[in-house]
């Protein structure tokens, strides 16, 4: 982790225009690290065996975990599908559930799938130049429904933390799949709630 000065301020290059000179270090998620996340296990194993692609990566800077600090970074979700389901991030709740987040889309095409513990769900388009406000209490997952990387800049409260376990065990209530017309479609997850 580079030595960012959270007391005096700093600039950071996410190197999205090419030539990775960035001091930010990305965390990569390969498909094999997402076992149980996609709905079609056969298609999943086939895609892992066929080359185990990187599904997404994110650049985070190690912000201090204080309520008064602001964590931010850049997320890149690659294009692809597992069965009919688009490549996406694992998705998470915040450990402090009552904290929101903003995602500003820089390039690509897709959406933010959200759900709260009460069962409310939504899918917000992610369009370059547009920001999505993910309200407190909502788990969030980026889905790439296009053909180029979906790149967004995110910002949230420094101490919010991440809770991946709830999504890993129960899954999401909704899936984003390619419809017969080739367009994205939101459907109920038939396996939601299976442990
Ligand atoms: Mn978050």
């Amino acid at each position: 982790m580079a030595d960012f000065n959270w007391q005096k301020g700093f600039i950071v290059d996410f190197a999205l225009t090419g030539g990775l000179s960035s001091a930010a270090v990305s965390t990569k998620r390969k498909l094999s690290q997402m076992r149980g996340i996609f709905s079609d296990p056969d298609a999943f194993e086939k895609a892992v065996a066929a080359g185990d692609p990187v599904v997404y990566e994110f650049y985070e800077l190690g912000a201090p975990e204080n309520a008064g600090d602001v964590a931010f970074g850049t997320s890149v979700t690659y294009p692809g599908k597992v069965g009919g389901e688009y490549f996406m991030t694992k998705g998470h709740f915040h450990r402090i559930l009552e904290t929101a987040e903003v995602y500003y889309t820089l390039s690509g095409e897709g959406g933010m799938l959200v759900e709260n513990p009460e069962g409310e769900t939504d899918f917000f388009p992610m369009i370059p130049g547009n920001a999505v406000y993910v309200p407190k209490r909502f788990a969030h997952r980026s889905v790439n429904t296009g053909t180029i990387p979906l790149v967004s800049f995110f910002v949230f409260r420094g101490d919010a933390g991440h809770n991946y376990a709830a999504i890993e065990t129960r899954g999401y209530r909704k899936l984003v799949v390619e419809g017969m017309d080739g367009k994205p479609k939101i459907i109920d997850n038939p396996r939601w709630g299976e442990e």
Side-chain angles (χ1 to χ4, degrees), residues 92-94 99-101 103 134 138-140 154-156 160-162 164:
H92 60 265
F93 288 96
H94 288 163
T99 54
E101 183 159 354
Y103 283 78
V134 178
F138 279 80
H140 36 288
F154 58 83
V155 183
F156 60 99
H162 293 92
Y164 290 100

Side-chain angles (χ1 to χ4, degrees), residues 122-138:
D122 216 332
F123 185 65
F124 297 106
M126 293 177 78
I127 300 162
N130 286 232
V132 180
Y133 185 73
V134 178
K136 59 191 179 183
R137 300 186 67 76
F138 279 80

Side-chain angles (χ1 to χ4, degrees), residues 12-83:
V12 57
D13 178 10
F14 288 109
L16 299 172
T17 51
L20 196 69
S21 60
S22 172
V25 178
S26 82
T27 302
K28 291 182 170 63
R29 291 272 183 266
K30 297 186 92 173
L31 188 60
S32 57
Q33 295 172 286
M34 297 180 74
R35 188 163 271 104
I37 300 281
F38 288 93
S39 67
D40 182 340
D42 296 335
F44 174 85
E45 295 304 340
K46 256 185 212 158
V48 169
D52 194 14
V54 172
V55 178
Y56 65 99
E57 61 186 310
F58 50 96
Y59 294 82
E60 51 181 3
L61 313 181
E65 296 188 6
N66 302 316
D69 282 297
V70 170
F72 68 97
T74 300
S75 165
V76 181
T77 307
Y78 290 98
K81 286 197 291 285
V82 176

